[in-house]
Amino acid sequence: MSLTMHLHPLASFCWKPLIAFYENGTPFAAVIVDLGDEQSRSAFLRISPTGKMPALRDDARDRTVLESTIVVEYLAAHYPGPVDLIPADIDLALAVRQADRFYDFYVQAPMQKIVGDRLRPQDKTDPFGVEEARGQLRNAYAILQQEMQSKSWATGEAFTMADCAAAPALFYANKVEPLGDKYPAVKRYHDRLLQRPSVARVIEEAQPYFKFFPYNNG
Ligand SMILES: N[C@@H](CCC(=O)N[C@@H](CS)C(=O)NCC(=O)O)C(=O)O
């Protein structure tokens, strides 16, 4: 097997390429990174010097691919399957990339801020930054509420990389800043994503680790 994903099953940015792998049934091996373990950490830093996951290693092509979006782009280019994760049409592809960026910057980033704050020592928390991040999430929800009125998936009727990005972003954002009933179109999209077999699978695989997620109990 030439493809190895270095990941953690709980890590939201790792879900994006995992969903892409499962959508197309692309075979890969998984190496679970434990940043708290010195040996695992130093081995991973040799692959991903920033320490950020996921990282993909492709031995067949002698390539290391970093950044979740670039991993999906790489799979779409070199290991395509029945699900067209990046459409061939350039305007559709740009819409997919734009939506992927939206979910990373305006949903994942504030969600990570809120989660990260709960993991800080009690005297080092940033309540102002967390409130700001909550406002950013509500703003993103309001934008998506307009966007998702008439779409099944992030950019239309086809499942793409944008949905691979949206699934972890909305799953975890809804845990830290619940969608409630104020954003029904976003909630419908969130629920549709969770029913997608590839997404249900990553959630299932994360189950043993959810106890480490600090918003498990609200
Ligand atoms: N822009 C990066 C973000 C990756 C990222 O933030 N990964 C998190 C896990 S979801 C991580 O590696 N955190 C470990 C750390 O910051 O120490 C991507 O899209 O891959």
Side-chain angles (χ1 to χ4, degrees), residues 136-147 182-183 186:
Q136 288 164 353
L137 274 184
R138 289 191 294 268
N139 189 48
Y141 292 166
I143 293 167
L144 290 172
Q145 174 60 24
Q146 293 302 313
E147 285 252 318
K182 204 173 163 200
Y183 310 99
V186 190

Side-chain angles (χ1 to χ4, degrees), residues 8 10-17 33 35 41 44 48 50-55 66-71 100-101 104-105 108 111-112 172:
H8 192 282
L10 199 55
S12 55
F13 276 103
C14 297
W15 287 17
K16 190 197 295 188
V33 178
L35 291 173
R41 184 187 185 84
F44 183 59
S48 174
T50 62
K52 296 288 181 189
M53 57 186 99
L66 303 176
E67 292 291 318
S68 58
T69 299
I70 310 306
V71 172
D100 170 79
R101 300 295 69 219
D104 277 18
F105 288 124
Q108 286 257 34
M111 177 279 289
Q112 279 190 328
Y172 281 113

Side-chain angles (χ1 to χ4, degrees), residues 77-172:
H78 296 292
Y79 297 89
V83 178
D84 221 357
L85 295 165
I86 315 280
D89 179 275
I90 184 62
D91 290 315
L92 290 177
L94 290 177
V96 165
R97 292 181 175 113
Q98 184 171 307
D100 170 79
R101 300 295 69 219
F102 182 89
Y103 282 104
D104 277 18
F105 288 124
Y106 307 115
V107 182
Q108 286 257 34
M111 177 279 289
Q112 279 190 328
K113 167 73 188 169
I114 297 164
V115 173
D117 199 74
R118 234 181 223 195
L119 299 170
R120 286 183 176 193
Q122 261 180 1
D123 60 340
K124 296 273 190 283
T125 58
D126 174 16
F128 180 79
V130 167
E131 225 16 76
E132 202 172 42
R134 290 192 181 284
Q136 288 164 353
L137 274 184
R138 289 191 294 268
N139 189 48
Y141 292 166
I143 293 167
L144 290 172
Q145 174 60 24
Q146 293 302 313
E147 285 252 318
M148 295 311 297
Q149 303 273 349
S150 58
K151 289 178 193 156
S152 299
W153 300 111
T155 56
E157 294 314 299
F159 189 97
T160 67
M161 173 173 74
D163 302 291
C164 302
L170 288 178
F171 174 86
Y172 281 113

